[in-house]
Amino acid sequence: MSSDLWQVTWFTAWVAVTSTLVILPPGIALAWLLARRQWPGKSIVETLVALPLVIPPVATGLILLHLFGRRGLLGHWLENSLGIEIVFTWKAVVIATAVMSFPLLVRTARVAFENVSPRVEHVARTLGAGPWRVFWTITLPLARPGVIAGAVLAFARALGEFGATVMVAGFIPGKTETLSLSIYHSVELGRDGEAAAFLAVSVALAFVAVWCSERLLRRVAA
Amino acid sequence: MSLEITRLRLPLASFSLELDARLDAPVTGLFGASGAGKTSLLETIAGLRRPADGLISLDGVVLTDSAALVFRPPESRGVGFVPQDSALFTHLNVQENLCYSQRSRPRATRPGISYEHVRDVLNLGSLVARRIGSLSGGERQRVAFGRALLAAPHLLLLDEPLASLDRELKDQILPYLRLIRDEFKIPMLLVSHSADEIVALCDDVLVLEQGRCVRRGPPAGLFVVSPRPHHELAKPADVSPLKDGAA
C-alpha cells in the first residue's frame, strides 16, 4: 500500500469520526426536542433537517459553498472576524459530511426517544430526580441503542460522502482527499489499479465499521 | 396526613375533573369506572399534570396553588407514585431500581424506612441482582412498591396496583399492601375500579363519576359485601355501591 493510500484512508476515517462526534450533541438535543416538546416552528425545523436526505448532495454542496465561501454569509464573517478559512480545507470536508449525515442521526435518535415511555420518566421525577437527572439516567440510557444506531448510520454516511464534499472542498491531494473522491479521481485519470486499491480499502473500512456497530448494538440491546 | 384539595379543576378530554375534598384517612380509595378521572387526579397530586384551577396542599405544604402561581415540581413534593404498569427502569437491575431515589446506593432515608427493611418486608432479597426483564408480574409490582417506599414519601399514590395481575397473584400482592400500610405508616391514596380491593384496604372511599365525587364514606357504608370465606375475594359483581351511601 502506498503512503498516499494510507494517508487518504486515515483522513477519511478521521473525517467520519470527527463529523459524527461534532453532530452528536446537537443531534441528540434536537432529536429529544422533536420527540418530547411542542414549540413554534417545529415543523419547519423538521423539514429543514430532512432536506439533505432529499435534495441532491451536489445541490447541498452548492448551498454550503454559497454559505461558507469567501463572499458567503458565514464564510465572509468567519474569515474577516476570526480569520478562519473554510472552503477547500479539511473543515469544509467535515462540514459537508456533518450536514449530510445529520438527518440520519436525528431521525433515528428521535424514534428512540419517542419509544421511551413518558410514564417511566414521570416515575423517576416522583423519586426525586430533576429533569436533567431523568434525562441522563433514564431517557438517554433507554434510548441508547437507537442513538448508537443513528450515530453508526451517520458515520457510514460520512465515510462515503461524495457530492457535497466535492463541491465545497474540491479535490486537493493531501488536503481534502477522501476515499470516495480518490476513487472518482483515479477512474477519471484512467488509473484503474489505483482505483481498485482505493475501492478495496473503502469496502474493508465499511465492513469493519458495520461489523463493529452490529456487535456494539447487540451488546447494548442485551 | 392531611391532603387538602380545594376547588380543583382539571379539563380532560370530554369533561372536567372538579374536586373539593380533605383526605386524612390512612388509606383512601378512589373508586370509579375507567375514564372517571381517577388516574388524572393522581397525576395532578403527583405534579405530573398542571390543574387549570385550584389548590392542593399536603400536611400544610402547598403543592399547587393556581391563584398564587405556585407549582411545586414532582421531584420536590415527597409524593410517591406507583403506576398501573409498574414502570420499572428496564436498563437497571432490581437493586438499582429500588435505590434510584438514593442515587443508586443503598442507604437509610429516614427512621423506619431503610433499604434492608423494605427489602425484607416486600420479600425482595432473592431478586436484588435480577434484571427487570426476568421478573414476573407480581415481582415487578413488589419492586415498584419498594422503589416508591425508599423515596420515603409523605404520601403514596397507587394507580390500580393489582389491575394487571390475575386473581391468584392479586391474592399474593394484597397482603403486601396491608404490610406497607401497617409497617411503614405511609398514607396511601389507592385508585381502583375493583370494589373488593377498596373494601380490603381502605378506610375512606371517594366514588368518582365523570370527574366528580358523587359519594364518599367508609367502604362499609358504600358497598354491600356478600358473605364469603375470608381467603376468597368477592367478585366485583357481588359488591356494588349502595344507592343511599354517604355523600
Side-chain angles (χ1 to χ4, degrees):
Chain A
M1 208 190 261
S2 73
S3 64
D4 260 14
L5 188 58
W6 270 120
Q7 203 212 325
V8 170
T9 307
W10 168 244
F11 180 68
T12 306
W14 180 84
V15 161
V17 169
T18 307
S19 89
T20 306
L21 290 179
V22 164
I23 63 173
L24 216 44
I28 288 173
L30 184 59
W32 184 85
L33 282 172
L34 290 173
R36 278 286 189 268
R37 290 268 183 275
Q38 293 301 325
W39 32 282
K42 181 174 165 179
S43 58
I44 293 174
V45 171
E46 247 176 315
T47 312
L48 273 179
V49 168
L51 271 189
L53 284 179
V54 189
I55 59 178
V58 175
T60 305
L62 189 58
I63 294 170
L64 292 176
L65 191 61
H66 283 307
L67 265 179
F68 290 100
R70 288 211 164 145
R71 273 166 290 168
L73 269 173
L74 282 167
H76 183 75
W77 177 79
L78 280 171
E79 189 163 345
N80 286 326
S81 55
L82 301 173
I84 298 173
E85 216 177 313
I86 301 284
V87 171
F88 303 120
T89 68
W90 64 265
K91 299 180 198 93
V93 184
V94 171
I95 289 173
T97 53
V99 168
M100 291 306 295
S101 50
F102 192 63
L104 294 169
L105 170 66
V106 172
R107 292 169 81 87
T108 318
R110 178 193 179 160
V111 174
F113 283 129
E114 280 170 348
N115 285 335
V116 176
S117 158
R119 192 167 284 280
V120 173
E121 297 171 331
H122 285 164
V123 169
R125 291 291 296 275
T126 66
L127 292 170
W132 274 105
R133 183 164 179 242
V134 171
F135 177 80
W136 288 110
T137 60
I138 303 294
T139 316
L140 192 56
L142 284 173
R144 193 172 55 176
V147 172
I148 290 177
V152 168
L153 273 175
F155 175 78
R157 183 72 187 78
L159 269 187
E161 219 303 302
F162 178 81
T165 311
V166 80
M167 283 304 278
V168 78
F171 177 80
I172 304 169
K175 231 177 138 188
T176 66
E177 199 181 359
T178 64
L179 277 169
S180 42
L181 295 182
S182 301
I183 291 173
Y184 182 78
H185 188 67
S186 311
V187 172
E188 212 178 25
L189 296 178
R191 296 180 189 155
D192 288 347
E194 208 178 280
F198 283 126
L199 178 67
V201 175
S202 291
V203 172
L205 201 58
F207 186 88
V208 171
V210 172
W211 188 75
C212 287
S213 69
E214 290 289 325
R215 274 184 64 102
L216 189 68
L217 275 180
R218 222 172 302 145
R219 216 174 53 202
V220 169
Chain B
M1 187 270 307
S2 160
L3 180 73
E4 282 196 61
I5 301 172
T6 315
R7 291 188 309 282
L8 179 76
R9 193 172 64 81
L10 176 78
L12 299 173
S14 55
F15 56 85
S16 262
L17 174 70
E18 287 176 30
L19 192 64
D20 234 316
R22 183 194 166 96
L23 312 178
D24 38 24
V27 182
T28 306
L30 284 174
F31 181 81
S34 310
K38 307 183 302 283
T39 299
S40 304
L41 177 58
L42 288 198
E43 289 174 348
T44 308
I45 296 168
L48 303 171
R49 271 175 190 261
R50 241 174 232 264
D53 270 310
L55 185 147
I56 301 175
S57 71
L58 178 61
D59 297 329
V61 177
V62 174
L63 302 181
T64 299
D65 183 356
S66 59
L69 298 175
V70 173
F71 183 81
R72 199 175 267 265
E75 60 268 26
S76 56
R77 289 191 174 205
V79 174
F81 180 48
V82 179
Q84 191 175 345
D85 58 359
S86 73
L88 295 176
F89 308 138
T90 50
H91 61 300
L92 305 175
N93 69 17
V94 169
Q95 175 167 331
E96 289 162 341
N97 266 273
L98 289 172
C99 299
Y100 184 79
S101 62
Q102 297 153 56
R103 300 220 157 227
S104 303
R105 242 176 305 120
R107 83 182 145 78
T109 45
R110 75 172 197 198
I113 300 191
S114 68
Y115 172 74
E116 289 76 17
H117 192 186
V118 169
R119 185 193 59 197
D120 295 344
V121 167
L122 291 173
N123 197 13
L124 297 168
S126 59
L127 303 178
V128 288
R130 296 257 297 269
R131 310 271 327 160
I132 299 305
S134 71
L135 300 180
S136 70
E139 290 168 339
R140 279 166 185 261
Q141 211 57 351
R142 270 152 55 203
V143 174
F145 294 152
R147 182 178 64 175
L149 282 172
L150 278 165
H154 301 292
L155 169 67
L156 190 55
L157 308 172
L158 302 169
D159 189 5
E160 309 250 10
L162 306 177
S164 59
L165 308 175
D166 59 31
R167 166 68 49 106
E168 201 179 325
L169 270 175
K170 272 183 196 178
D171 291 346
Q172 286 174 26
I173 297 295
L174 207 55
Y176 284 109
L177 282 172
R178 288 208 188 87
L179 265 175
I180 292 172
R181 178 188 64 188
D182 301 337
E183 277 282 323
F184 299 105
K185 311 251 185 293
I186 294 177
M188 294 195 264
L189 188 52
L190 174 89
V191 156
S192 180
H193 61 245
S194 145
D196 31 88
E197 281 168 37
I198 298 273
V199 169
L201 288 163
C202 300
D203 313 286
D204 183 20
V205 186
L206 277 70
V207 182
L208 285 192
E209 251 177 55
Q210 297 274 306
R212 281 176 179 73
C213 177
V214 291
R215 279 190 292 276
R216 179 175 180 183
L222 288 177
F223 299 105
V224 184
V225 184
S226 62
R228 288 269 190 144
H230 183 66
H231 62 271
E232 193 182 317
L233 284 171
K235 288 196 185 94
D238 302 333
V239 180
S240 59
L242 275 176
K243 292 277 176 249
D244 57 348

